[in-house]
Amino acid sequence: MSLTLRTISREQHLAYIRSLPSASHMQVPAWGDVKAEWRSESLGWFDRSGALVGVGLVLYRQLPKIKRYLAYLPEGPVINWFAPNLEEWLRPMLDHLKKQGAFSVKMGPPVIIRRWNAAAVKAGIQNPDVKRLRDVEATFLEPKAFEVADQLRRMGWQQGEDGGAGFGDVQPRYVFQIPLRGRSLEDVHKSFNQLWRRNIKKADKAGVEVVRGGYEDLPVWQQLYEVTAERDRFRPRPLTYFQRMWRALNAEDPDRMRLYLARHEGEAVAAATMLIVGGHVWYSYGASANHKREVRPSNAMQWRMLQDAHALGADVYDLRGIGDALEESDHLFGLIQFKVGTGGEAAEYLGEWDFPLNKLLHKALDIYMSRR
């Protein structure tokens, strides 16, 4: 296959994404508008007949004081990752990005390497000898994913460190997903553990009401989100970020981003954002108050979001990132414990990969990032 690559219009890019069963929400053209501090470009791969066969959203971040850029393709590009010769796809991309002034390229192949069902994760948590998810035998392995990793290494790509992604947003290597394709809602509900089912019932009995919010409700979301950030010790994004996200994504597709609010006695006590691209639905950000936790608003909200994802005909409801530590002492343990109760499955992606186009500048950036 002889492939050529060139810049394409947003319209071409979006039309291609819409022709697929799904793609990452970070690879739609509007994601470039969300990331206002980066410059964005849509790339298209064309076959011999001139047909568009792959796309990629590239985000460029300029180095201070010099016109050189980190080029980042979050959870992309959207190409045939299992093609026998990946170099035919990636070499033209590297050549193009170099011409654009990139000194380093970072990408996140949307390729899942292994999965663990809920029973396997639970067994790992209960086994005192098991410290990490990767120590648990996977219930599914994708042999082709190992071939992809081998090809990338041979080409000179370097696997990024877990948790260090240039000055972009590191995408989670481990995620938790609930498969929905071919399943009834009753089947999904039966997969929840006893605690989840009890908490959903408790929220219902307490009168928790889950409603869909609009743009005008984002300040309510922000208040809960900032409370959550303080409690969980992370730096919150500003309200303007979520407002821009809402405007950009919903201008591209009116149902790309949703907001859900869980109310008790008229007060919003939990909130979450949902993203939709084709058959893939993501629980993207979540927040909750410090009080009224006993009425279990988060469980009620997740159940409503899951029901809505199922009604949309989604193939998967994605609860996004988890850590891979299975020890109670780890600060991310609560996250995996909460998500495994849904009866879904943990999945490991190939992770993010770097290609230094200018080794000196790439090394300088690494040193700068390690000192931050």
Side-chain angles (χ1 to χ4, degrees):
M1 185 188 256
S2 177
L3 295 166
T4 55
L5 177 138
R6 62 175 182 268
T7 305
I8 57 171
S9 69
R10 290 175 71 119
E11 292 72 26
Q12 285 173 292
H13 183 162
L14 186 57
Y16 185 78
I17 295 283
R18 283 180 173 152
S19 75
L20 304 173
S22 177
S24 169
H25 61 276
M26 294 181 196
Q27 281 295 301
V28 300
W31 194 252
D33 303 325
V34 176
K35 296 292 169 185
E37 67 277 25
W38 301 70
R39 174 168 68 82
S40 66
E41 181 186 22
S42 291
L43 299 180
W45 280 259
F46 294 84
D47 67 12
R48 264 200 200 113
S49 71
L52 185 60
V53 291
V55 295
L57 179 76
V58 189
L59 302 174
Y60 294 98
R61 188 77 175 264
Q62 190 175 343
L63 271 182
K65 297 177 184 166
I66 59 168
K67 280 209 162 180
R68 300 305 292 276
Y69 303 88
L70 169 69
Y72 182 35
L73 295 98
E75 298 185 2
V78 184
I79 59 172
N80 178 9
W81 282 97
F82 297 141
N85 189 355
L86 256 187
E87 191 152 8
E88 283 187 18
W89 292 81
L90 298 179
R91 179 49 57 196
M93 181 182 85
L94 291 173
D95 293 343
H96 175 86
L97 297 176
K98 193 171 187 177
K99 281 180 196 157
Q100 297 294 307
F103 68 88
S104 184
V105 180
K106 178 177 286 294
M107 65 176 184
V111 175
I112 285 174
I113 198 162
R114 48 176 79 85
R115 293 183 188 272
W116 298 263
N117 63 22
V121 178
K122 282 177 202 162
I125 289 170
Q126 285 156 8
N127 185 339
D129 298 329
V130 170
K131 310 292 181 202
R132 305 236 158 227
L133 194 52
R134 65 189 75 165
D135 301 331
V136 178
E137 191 179 342
T139 44
F140 168 81
L141 275 177
E142 176 51 81
K144 288 184 194 165
F146 295 93
E147 292 166 29
V148 172
D150 287 344
Q151 283 197 69
L152 291 175
R153 282 190 201 97
R154 285 200 299 272
M155 285 171 62
W157 288 86
Q158 300 165 4
Q159 193 152 22
E161 294 293 316
D162 284 350
F167 37 93
D169 303 338
V170 189
Q171 301 318 319
R173 180 155 185 183
Y174 295 89
V175 299
F176 206 86
Q177 300 176 337
I178 301 170
L180 296 178
R181 188 193 291 177
R183 297 177 73 197
S184 68
L185 267 179
E186 191 186 11
D187 179 33
V188 173
H189 188 264
K190 272 185 190 160
S191 301
F192 289 165
N193 68 11
Q194 255 182 324
L195 183 64
W196 259 84
R197 289 201 296 270
R198 200 162 56 235
N199 286 345
I200 290 167
K201 214 178 222 176
K202 195 184 269 187
D204 188 42
K205 214 170 174 183
V208 172
E209 182 196 15
V210 181
V211 296
R212 275 182 64 181
Y215 180 83
E216 68 285 355
D217 296 302
L218 286 171
V220 177
W221 146 264
Q222 190 69 20
Q223 284 175 326
L224 288 166
Y225 173 63
E226 286 176 12
V227 166
T228 306
E230 195 177 335
R231 183 177 68 235
D232 295 348
R233 300 195 192 122
F234 65 84
R235 199 162 141 203
R237 294 188 181 279
L239 173 60
T240 50
Y241 178 82
F242 295 102
Q243 289 172 327
R244 186 168 65 240
M245 193 174 172
W246 184 280
R247 289 194 305 266
L249 294 179
N250 288 337
E252 181 176 273
D253 185 312
D255 204 18
R256 181 79 83 219
M257 179 178 177
R258 293 183 179 188
L259 174 67
Y260 286 82
L261 302 163
R263 292 185 181 141
H264 185 252
E265 296 171 337
E267 179 193 8
V269 285
T273 60
M274 179 198 264
L275 300 175
I276 302 156
V277 183
H280 203 122
V281 173
W282 292 264
Y283 155 56
S284 145
Y285 284 89
S288 60
N290 289 333
H291 62 293
K292 294 201 172 182
R293 304 185 81 167
E294 70 283 355
V295 297
R296 305 299 176 191
S298 294
N299 297 86
M301 187 171 61
Q302 286 298 339
W303 176 228
R304 165 70 194 272
M305 289 166 76
L306 250 170
Q307 287 173 296
D308 285 4
H310 189 273
L312 283 166
D315 295 323
V316 63
Y317 180 72
D318 198 322
L319 287 154
R320 289 294 282 165
I322 51 171
D324 81 324
L326 299 182
E327 296 175 285
E328 278 189 50
S329 56
D330 189 271
H331 72 293
L332 289 175
F333 177 73
L335 208 55
I336 196 166
Q337 200 175 34
F338 177 75
K339 293 177 181 182
V340 80
T342 63
E345 52 190 27
E348 180 190 0
Y349 279 93
L350 265 187
E352 295 196 317
W353 295 69
D354 299 300
F355 196 99
L357 292 165
N358 179 317
K359 287 182 176 150
L360 198 66
L361 286 176
H362 179 84
K363 185 79 182 151
L365 178 68
D366 270 357
I367 292 166
Y368 167 71
M369 291 312 296
S370 67
R371 287 177 180 164
R372 276 179 73 180

